[in-house]
């Protein structure tokens, strides 16, 4: 295993290996101006998005499965255990529930119906990835919380017992129930308030069983680390890569769709599922634009792109199925000639 761990500056704040940083105060006027002048009517869907409701048995089955729940919240069934990534079940990705980005689709499963979990895997501490109320609700149902360095302090302050938390630096790993979880680099930043910028680490994750190798990106700008991860821990059967909430003003810390595809190729991925889209309005682009652009890029590079609807059950050992490749968002654009009732009937 490579020895390149994360680094901190003189103020004990974590740093990206490339030196890239998030959009700073110097860009704030430009960002605010973009938001104020933006009149895009399709930043949120005009019609209900298709959602496949599902329930889970108390005991996980032996087959490997995945369910895309919302944004970067994914439920994995691996080695007869359930795992969750970045659980955000609150209505808003925000420090308060009366303001902030609001989810624009139904949840396919309610938080109360999530069975006992072997682990919750967290990528970083931003509100659209680390939801306090969800973590507290899952406390007694979760065996372990696997987090990047520093994120454990949030969980401990919310009442999560320290013995349940496994905190890892980049390239460190742990093994639970036959699943190896490796914290891998990402190019992003962290913080939940005004005074804690980059006080906790951010990470992507390599999730390996004896039959499958899955990559979960968390949030990241495009960087050379993807190629290194692919060389050290790849190839990957499936990559779950952020594709959404991007803009040229913060391109260092969120990838453009074409860069997301390049990351998949760097990782030596076989199949790709785009995440971090179609749930919250976090940028100025159309809600469906990430999927449109990624689909074009995937066709150009002959990448096997999977675009399941929220809640659809994905058999991880049978990813070739055509049902996982349907472009469900086509008929939900305002530019579509279909009427809402026709769209819903078709779904």
């Amino acid at each position: 295993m490579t020895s390149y761990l994360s680094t901190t500056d003189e103020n004990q704040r974590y740093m990206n290996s490339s030196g890239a940083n998030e959009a700073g105060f110097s860009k704030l006027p430009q960002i605010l101006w973009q938001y104020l002048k933006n009149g895009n009517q399709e930043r949120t869907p005009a019609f209900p998005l298709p959602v496949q409701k599902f329930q889970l048995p108390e005991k996980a089955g032996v087959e490997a499965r995945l369910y895309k729940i919302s944004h970067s919240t994914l439920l994995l069934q691996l080695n007869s255990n359930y795992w969750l990534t970045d659980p955000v079940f609150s209505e808003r990705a925000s420090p308060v529930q009366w303001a902030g980005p609001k989810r624009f689709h139904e949840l396919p499963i309610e938080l109360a119906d999530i069975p006992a979990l072997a682990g919750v895997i967290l990528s970083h501490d931003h509100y659209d990835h680390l939801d306090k109320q969800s973590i507290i609700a899952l406390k007694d149902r979760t065996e372990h919380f696997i987090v990047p360095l520093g994120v454990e302090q949030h969980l401990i302050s919310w009442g999560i017992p320290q013995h349940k938390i496994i905190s890892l630096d980049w390239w460190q790993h742990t093994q639970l129930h036959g699943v190896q979880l490796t914290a891998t680099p990402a190019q992003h930043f962290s913080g939940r308030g005004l005074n804690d910028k980059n006080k906790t680490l951010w990470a992507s994750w390599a999730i390996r069983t004896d039959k499958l190798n899955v990559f979960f990106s968390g949030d990241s700008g495009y960087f050379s680390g993807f190629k290194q991860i692919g060389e050290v821990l790849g190839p990957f059967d499936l990559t779950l890569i952020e594709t959404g909430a991007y803009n040229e003003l913060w391109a260092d810390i969120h990838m453009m769709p074409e860069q997301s595809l390049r990351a998949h190729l760097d990782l030596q991925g076989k199949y790709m599922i785009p995440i971090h889209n179609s749930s919250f309005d976090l940028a100025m682009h159309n809600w469906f634009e990430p999927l449109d652009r990624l689909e074009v890029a995937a066709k150009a590079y002959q990448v096997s792109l999977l675009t399941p609807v929220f809640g659809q059950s994905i058999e991880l050992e049978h990813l070739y199925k055509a049902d996982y490749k349907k472009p469900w968002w086509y008929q939900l654009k305002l530019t579509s000639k279909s009427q809402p009732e026709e769209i819903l009937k078709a779904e």
Side-chain angles (χ1 to χ4, degrees), residues 189-209:
F189 71 110
S190 67
R192 292 172 72 84
L194 297 175
N195 301 313
D196 65 345
K197 184 179 101 171
N198 294 348
K199 285 291 188 179
T200 66
L201 187 61
W202 46 96
S204 55
W205 292 91
I207 305 167
R208 181 189 289 271
T209 70

Side-chain angles (χ1 to χ4, degrees), residues 7-27:
T7 57
T8 56
D9 62 15
E10 65 275 9
N11 297 312
Q12 296 302 301
R13 297 181 189 273
Y14 289 98
M15 303 167 61
N16 285 308
S17 57
S18 66
N21 210 337
E22 76 276 14
F25 284 108
S26 62
K27 292 185 178 179

